[in-house]
């Protein structure tokens, strides 16, 4: 236990140091390997609530959620963290390690398909009973299927499977989340002169939870959202507002309004 707890603390400290180093000292170009570019994104997000698959993880409290992502020829990997803004939620400090692959097929055709597969390992370093968990995701979207005006209404489908971590002493209810969604990017004049294009991004989704983490098997919730991104050189700022309609008390007994503010640097 002592070794594992200290290993988790090293992961957290290393994550913070590396994120800060990338944000302030990274060169003004991406890394090249054999003529191929490795993309690097350091993101710092503040959420007024931490919503995950419909669950209000911190019970209406805000969280700081930085991440660091590397991508290369469709492959990606990184680390994501969550720290509650308020005291009393230290046990829900979270560090996630993730990796995956995404690919676009038939890009110029009406039946173009974007697909992604990812694996995430959830670590809770402050919980002594090692309540780690794992999740795999398989997601699809069709960006050219429903053209409307200057953009397209994009349908999507994602399926997640969650189960206990390798060293977890907690027994969780393994199961699936299925998410159907629609999104639309409404082009608008760029508000920053150097930005080539900008859009108001609109989204909607609905989730079926088959009984994960002790919930009922149910249509658990639906979420609508609006966001936009401001870009300057390699920096970006994305404000977003979301509203969740909660359908089942075993997942969430109230509707949720929350905001996300993200700032980051990408190469």
């Amino acid at each position: 236990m002592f070794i594992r707890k200290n290993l988790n603390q090293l992961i957290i400290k290393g994550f913070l140091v590396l994120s800060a180093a990338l944000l302030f000292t990274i060169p003004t170009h991406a890394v090249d390997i054999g003529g191929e570019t490795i993309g690097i994104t350091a993101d710092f997000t503040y959420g007024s609530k931490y919503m995950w698959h419909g669950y209000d993880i911190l019970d209406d409290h805000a969280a700081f959620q930085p991440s660091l992502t590397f991508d290369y020829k469709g492959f990606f990997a990184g680390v994501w963290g969550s720290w509650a803004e308020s005291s009393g939620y230290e046990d829900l400090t979270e560090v996630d390690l993730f990796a995956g692959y995404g690919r676009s097929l038939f890009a110029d055709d009406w039946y173009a398909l974007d697909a992604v597969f990812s694996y995430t390992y959830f670590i809770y370093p402050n919980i002594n009973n090692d309540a780690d968990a794992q999740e795999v995701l398989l997601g699809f979207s069709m960006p050219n299927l429903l053209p409307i005006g200057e953009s397209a209404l994009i349908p999507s489908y994602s399926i997640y499977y969650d189960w206990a971590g390798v060293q977890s002493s907690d027994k969780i209810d393994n199961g699936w989340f299925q998410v159907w969604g629609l999104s639309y990017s409404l082009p608008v004049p760029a508000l920053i002169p150097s930005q080539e294009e900008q859009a108001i991004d609109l989204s909607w989704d609905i989730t079926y939870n088959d009984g994960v983490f002790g919930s009922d098997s149910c249509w658990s919730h639906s979420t609508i959202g609006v966001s936009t991104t401001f870009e300057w050189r390699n920096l970006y700022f994305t404000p977003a507002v979301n509203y969740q309609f909660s359908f089942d008390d075993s997942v969430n007994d109230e509707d949720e309004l929350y905001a996300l503010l993200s700032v980051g640097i990408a190469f």
Side-chain angles (χ1 to χ4, degrees):
M1 179 63 67
F2 176 80
I3 294 175
R4 174 174 170 73
K5 184 173 183 180
N6 279 271
L7 176 61
N8 289 333
Q9 294 298 331
L10 285 173
I11 291 173
I12 295 173
K13 291 177 181 178
F15 170 42
L16 292 174
V17 170
L18 185 55
S19 296
L22 280 170
L23 184 61
F24 294 110
T25 67
I26 196 168
T28 57
H29 57 82
V31 178
D32 289 336
I33 295 180
E36 297 289 344
T37 299
I38 296 179
I40 304 171
T41 302
D43 181 277
F44 298 83
T45 293
Y46 176 85
S48 64
K49 299 179 182 180
Y50 176 12
M51 303 303 301
W52 182 80
H53 290 308
Y55 298 93
D56 183 359
I57 301 298
L58 299 176
D59 192 22
D60 292 337
H61 289 80
F64 173 57
Q65 299 174 328
S67 65
L68 181 64
T69 305
F70 300 88
D71 62 85
Y72 178 73
K73 298 179 68 172
F75 294 94
F76 59 89
V79 59
W80 179 94
S82 179
W83 285 264
E85 182 187 54
S86 304
S87 61
Y89 293 89
E90 290 80 8
D91 283 354
L92 295 176
T93 294
E94 179 180 339
V95 178
D96 301 345
L97 307 176
F98 62 87
Y101 178 72
R103 185 172 181 181
S104 296
L105 303 171
F106 321 114
D108 297 326
D109 298 309
W110 66 267
Y111 49 85
L113 181 69
D114 293 339
V116 63
F117 172 81
S118 69
Y119 167 82
T120 301
Y121 196 92
F122 303 88
I123 300 171
Y124 300 90
N126 294 333
I127 299 180
N128 293 329
N129 62 356
D130 299 330
D132 297 355
Q134 303 176 75
E135 179 179 85
V136 290
L137 157 69
L138 182 62
F140 303 95
S141 63
M142 301 189 73
N144 300 339
L145 184 63
L146 300 170
I148 299 177
E150 300 179 37
S151 188
L153 184 65
I154 302 175
S156 63
Y157 171 74
S158 300
I159 185 166
Y160 303 77
Y161 184 74
D162 285 69
W163 72 103
V166 174
Q167 301 185 66
S168 176
S169 60
D170 279 358
K171 300 297 182 182
I172 69 172
D173 293 321
N174 301 349
W176 304 87
F177 299 100
Q178 297 186 66
V179 183
W180 290 262
L182 294 170
S183 63
Y184 185 81
S185 294
L186 178 65
V188 297
L191 299 179
I192 297 177
S194 60
Q195 187 169 336
E196 294 183 2
E197 59 185 25
Q198 190 165 4
I200 303 298
D201 298 314
L202 308 172
S203 63
W204 167 86
D205 61 52
I206 188 168
T207 296
Y208 185 83
N209 181 331
D210 83 338
V212 186
F213 304 123
S215 71
D216 298 332
S217 294
C218 61
W219 293 97
S220 60
H221 67 286
S222 178
T223 304
I224 57 174
V226 58
S227 66
T228 191
T229 297
F230 301 91
E231 299 175 347
W232 181 74
R233 296 185 179 178
N234 294 334
L235 297 171
Y236 64 86
F237 171 63
T238 302
V241 177
N242 299 286
Y243 190 85
Q244 175 178 302
F245 301 90
S246 300
F247 303 145
D248 191 276
D249 288 353
S250 67
V251 173
N252 197 326
D253 61 2
E254 61 182 2
D255 295 342
E256 305 283 358
L257 175 66
Y258 59 102
L260 301 170
L261 300 175
S262 300
V263 61
I265 185 169
F267 298 98

